[in-house]
Amino acid sequence: MKDEIERATGRRVVAARRVGGGCINDGWRVEFDDRSVAFVKTRAGVPPDEYSNEAAALRWLAEPRAVNVPEVLGHSERVLAIEWIDEGRLTPTGAEQLGRGLAATHAAGAGTFGGPRPLRIGRLELPNDPLGDWPSFYAERRLLPLAGSLDRDGAQTVERVCERIHDLAGPPEPPARLHGDLWGGNVLADAHGKGWLIDPVAYGGHREIDLAMLRLFGAPSPRVLDAYAEAAPLADGHEERVGLWQLFPLLVHAALFGGHYRARAAQMARRCAG
C-alpha cells in the first residue's frame, strides 16, 4: 500500500498507522517526507471508479468555497488520500458558519438533476442519469431502484408513493449542489471548532434532501439548520416533506443492513403514501 499511496500522491511516505475508517473502508493516518499528513482510505475489492468519483465529488463541493472540504491529495483505483483534519468539537460559531456555507453550496447549483456517474453508496450502485424534473428523478432514480429491499407490501407502498410524487414533492426548485450522504457522521469538526464535510456522493438534487438526512441521523447542532434557514429560507410545506426525503436514506440502509431499517423504511413509506 505504501507504493500505491506514493504513486497516487507523488509524495514519499515516512510513517503510517491505522485509524477509524467508518463502516465500509479501512482508514490510515499517513505522514509524508514534506511533513504533510493525509487520511487514506482503502479496502479490498473496492470498485475501480469509487475513489475517483469521491475525489471528483469533493472537488465539486469545494468549488463554491462556501464549506470546508478536505483537499484531495491523490487517488488511484485502490486508495484515496485527502487532507488530514485534527478533530475537535463544533462550536456555536462553527455550526452557524456550516449552516450558511451549506446554503451557499446548495445555491451554487448543478447543471441538472443527477450527474455524470452512477451514485455509489457502499456496495449499492444507483442510476444517476439526468432527468428534467426533480419529482420524476427522485421516484425513478432513488426510490424505485431500492423498493426491492422491502417485502412485497413495503415495495408496493413505495410504488404508491412514487405514483403520488408530483403531489408530494412541493414547489419546483432548481437543482442544488448536494453532498448526497449528509448524515451527522459525515460532518467533521476540527480542532478550532469549524465544520467540514466528508465522504460525499454529490449530485444535483433538491436541497431539502441534505437537510432531511441531517435530521434523520442526528444533526451535529440545531444551529446548523437554523443558520441555513436564516440564509436561505425553505419553501412552504417543507416540514411536511421531511419524511418523503428521509425515505431514500432509510431505503439505502434497508438495502445495506436490513434488520430494523426495513421496518422503518416501510413505516415511512406508509406515512408518505397516505
Side-chain angles (χ1 to χ4, degrees):
M1 193 183 72
K2 175 177 179 291
D3 292 342
E4 187 79 15
I5 295 170
E6 291 181 341
R7 283 193 296 270
T9 63
R11 309 180 191 198
R12 190 169 68 86
V13 174
V14 296
R17 61 177 172 85
R18 278 187 177 272
V19 294
C23 59
I24 295 175
N25 289 282
D26 299 321
W28 292 80
R29 183 184 189 275
V30 175
E31 300 176 26
F32 298 106
D33 60 350
D34 62 359
R35 297 188 178 182
S36 61
V37 181
F39 173 78
V40 175
K41 60 169 63 177
T42 185
R43 75 175 187 274
V46 63
D49 61 347
E50 180 168 323
Y51 293 144
S52 63
N53 288 352
E54 184 172 339
L58 286 165
R59 289 167 175 149
W60 191 54
L61 290 178
E63 282 179 4
R65 299 182 181 276
V67 291
N68 295 315
V69 179
E71 178 186 358
V72 176
L73 303 180
H75 63 86
S76 70
E77 291 187 358
R78 295 176 55 199
V79 300
L80 172 65
I82 61 175
E83 174 186 2
W84 178 268
I85 308 299
D86 287 320
E87 293 189 54
R89 180 173 295 181
L90 192 67
T91 64
T93 298
E96 292 177 7
Q97 291 173 341
L98 179 59
R100 292 193 298 269
L102 183 59
T105 301
H106 285 168
T112 186
F113 295 110
R117 295 169 291 274
L119 192 78
R120 184 174 287 115
I121 303 175
R123 58 180 170 79
L124 297 178
E125 182 173 294
L126 298 175
N128 209 29
D129 309 271
L131 279 176
D133 70 278
W134 171 252
S136 297
F137 180 89
Y138 189 60
E140 296 178 27
R141 305 287 193 257
R142 295 294 177 262
L143 300 185
L144 289 176
L146 293 166
S149 60
L150 306 183
D151 62 20
R152 182 177 177 181
D153 287 344
Q156 290 176 342
T157 306
V158 173
E159 291 169 4
R160 290 200 301 273
V161 173
C162 293
E163 291 169 0
R164 297 190 57 209
I165 196 69
H166 288 275
D167 297 325
L168 298 172
E173 291 207 7
R177 188 170 303 211
L178 298 186
H179 176 282
D181 192 21
L182 194 58
W183 67 291
N186 284 342
V187 177
L188 189 69
D190 67 19
H192 302 289
K194 296 180 179 180
W196 295 67
L197 301 187
I198 60 173
D199 294 349
V201 290
Y203 63 97
H206 198 300
R207 62 194 179 116
E208 291 175 12
I209 285 278
D210 274 350
L211 305 179
M213 191 165 185
L214 269 180
R215 292 174 63 167
L216 177 64
F217 295 122
S221 165
R223 190 61 191 138
V224 175
L225 299 174
D226 291 343
Y228 184 104
E230 291 166 7
L234 299 171
D236 291 344
H238 65 90
E239 283 290 336
E240 287 73 31
R241 293 187 292 274
V242 171
L244 177 64
W245 309 138
Q246 290 179 342
L247 180 56
F248 168 53
L250 286 173
L251 286 169
V252 168
H253 280 66
L256 288 175
F257 308 116
H260 74 282
Y261 287 115
R262 290 196 179 103
R264 289 188 66 186
Q267 181 183 42
M268 186 65 78
R270 287 192 295 270
R271 284 177 51 191
C272 295

